Amino acid sequence: MMSRLLSAAAIGSALLGAVLMSDHATAQSTDAAIFTAPETAWRTVDPENMLLIQTKYGNIAVELFPEIAPKHVAQVKALARSGFYDNVPFHRVIAGFMNQTGDGTNGDGTGDSTLPDLEAEFTFRRGANMPFAKVTTQKAGPGQIGVGFYKSLQIASQPTAQAMFTKDNKVNAFGLHCPGVTSMARTSDPNSANSQFFLMRGKADHLDTEYSIWGATVMGRDLLEKPVVGAVGDSNEWMPDYMDEVDVVADLEGGDRPTVQVLKTDSSAFTNWVEMQKEADGTYPDICELSVPTRVL
């Protein structure tokens, strides 16, 4: 079977399609590790839509977004619940890029599960029930596009006001491949994603709208830098790190089930946090340099 690789040199720039005009910017930010906010400003991540990846370095929790990539989230959860991801190596790790894993059959990037391949979910339609917390804009072709957050995920989106001119009262949006984001690996066929996925260590905007994003790390982001760099087949001496166990958090009990909270992006606390992220010249950092404050209870 064809290896599912993510080569930064081989993958072309993402196709943004029509230029999306931006909303008016409002935002703010501080260090998530020291940020405090009222109890009402925090939301608890749904345990049914949170994946816990246990490694020898510690536990990583990923918030899942079925409203963005329903088929991918359903498949990842089904594979996790079947034990397919347990004791599976990070078979390809590139410094500053990503940790690739999910080959529970061969462990080297050439295997898939027995479940069917998935149709691409590179973009999504965002309605009023999916509020966009715009932070700033970034270049998109000859124009600009609004970028910010949906829950814990960095996204780009058309202005909310444009929804009134569409038949479904929604606008186009897509996730951004920022550090902490989880996305599905595939072959050159856009509809070939199956079980393999990658966790971003750095920013890779050339992957945007080319790969299906389905989650964002909300606990253990620092651990994404831990897997040893290398790839199966590169050297007989290279020993990969492993996902020891992968579970849907809702299936765990007692002390094994973490409670993770994320700052609400529609709260005044979030607005204050974003404002604190401004540079000395009054501009905002690149959206991939920001991550919504989280806490574990």
Side-chain angles (χ1 to χ4, degrees), residues 3-285:
S3 181
R4 297 170 185 271
L5 299 180
L6 290 171
S7 170
I11 301 171
S13 297
L15 298 176
L16 294 177
V19 175
L20 309 180
M21 303 307 292
S22 62
D23 281 319
H24 193 75
T26 55
Q28 296 128 63
S29 166
T30 64
D31 187 342
I34 61 173
F35 186 77
T36 58
E39 290 298 312
T40 55
W42 299 93
R43 67 174 178 86
T44 300
V45 178
D46 179 6
E48 180 60 32
N49 285 309
M50 184 160 58
L51 203 67
L52 189 69
I53 302 172
Q54 299 180 40
T55 75
K56 70 178 183 181
Y57 303 109
N59 295 339
I60 299 166
V62 177
E63 181 173 17
L64 309 177
F65 303 107
E67 61 273 50
I68 289 176
K71 296 173 184 176
H72 286 73
V73 168
Q75 187 125 314
V76 167
K77 289 166 65 172
L79 290 171
R81 283 175 160 146
S82 73
F84 183 82
Y85 288 138
D86 296 348
N87 300 309
V88 172
F90 291 99
H91 65 266
R92 187 167 182 255
V93 177
I94 301 176
F97 187 21
M98 57 87 206
N99 307 318
Q100 188 171 345
T101 184
D103 179 358
T105 300
N106 300 331
D108 60 2
T110 64
D112 288 320
S113 74
T114 58
L115 296 179
D117 288 349
L118 299 164
E119 293 181 1
E121 294 177 308
F122 299 159
T123 64
F124 62 97
R125 297 287 288 167
R126 183 180 66 82
N129 61 333
M130 299 177 66
F132 173 46
K134 181 178 171 292
V135 175
T136 184
T137 62
Q138 65 183 33
K139 185 174 175 58
Q144 298 285 317
I145 186 172
V147 294
F149 291 92
Y150 169 66
K151 293 184 175 179
S152 59
L153 179 67
Q154 295 98 332
I155 70 168
S157 177
Q158 286 181 308
T160 302
Q162 289 189 6
M164 69 176 66
F165 303 112
T166 65
K167 292 182 178 180
D168 61 357
N169 292 316
K170 297 179 180 181
V171 295
N172 290 325
F174 56 89
L176 303 175
H177 285 82
C178 297
V181 165
T182 58
S183 188
M184 216 68 169
R186 62 174 177 83
T187 68
S188 58
D189 178 358
N191 302 311
S192 62
N194 187 282
S195 67
Q196 292 184 44
F197 62 91
F198 53 98
L199 299 97
M200 298 300 300
R201 293 169 72 125
K203 175 183 176 178
D205 53 9
H206 63 285
L207 303 183
D208 296 344
T209 72
E210 296 287 338
Y211 290 81
S212 299
I213 288 174
W214 48 267
T217 304
V218 291
M219 183 183 81
R221 275 195 58 179
D222 58 314
L223 304 181
L224 299 180
E225 296 294 324
K226 297 294 187 180
V228 60
V229 173
V232 171
D234 283 356
S235 168
N236 291 331
E237 298 179 356
W238 184 73
M239 298 295 291
D241 285 309
Y242 282 73
M243 296 191 296
D244 297 332
E245 185 174 330
V246 180
D247 299 285
V248 176
V249 171
D251 298 340
L252 301 175
E253 298 181 357
D256 294 330
R257 178 192 285 205
T259 298
V260 181
Q261 294 189 325
V262 179
L263 192 66
K264 294 178 180 177
T265 56
D266 60 352
S267 67
S268 59
F270 175 82
T271 301
N272 293 335
W273 172 79
V274 177
E275 196 62 33
M276 294 169 66
Q277 307 310 307
K278 281 186 176 179
E279 307 283 6
D281 62 1
T283 62
Y284 294 105

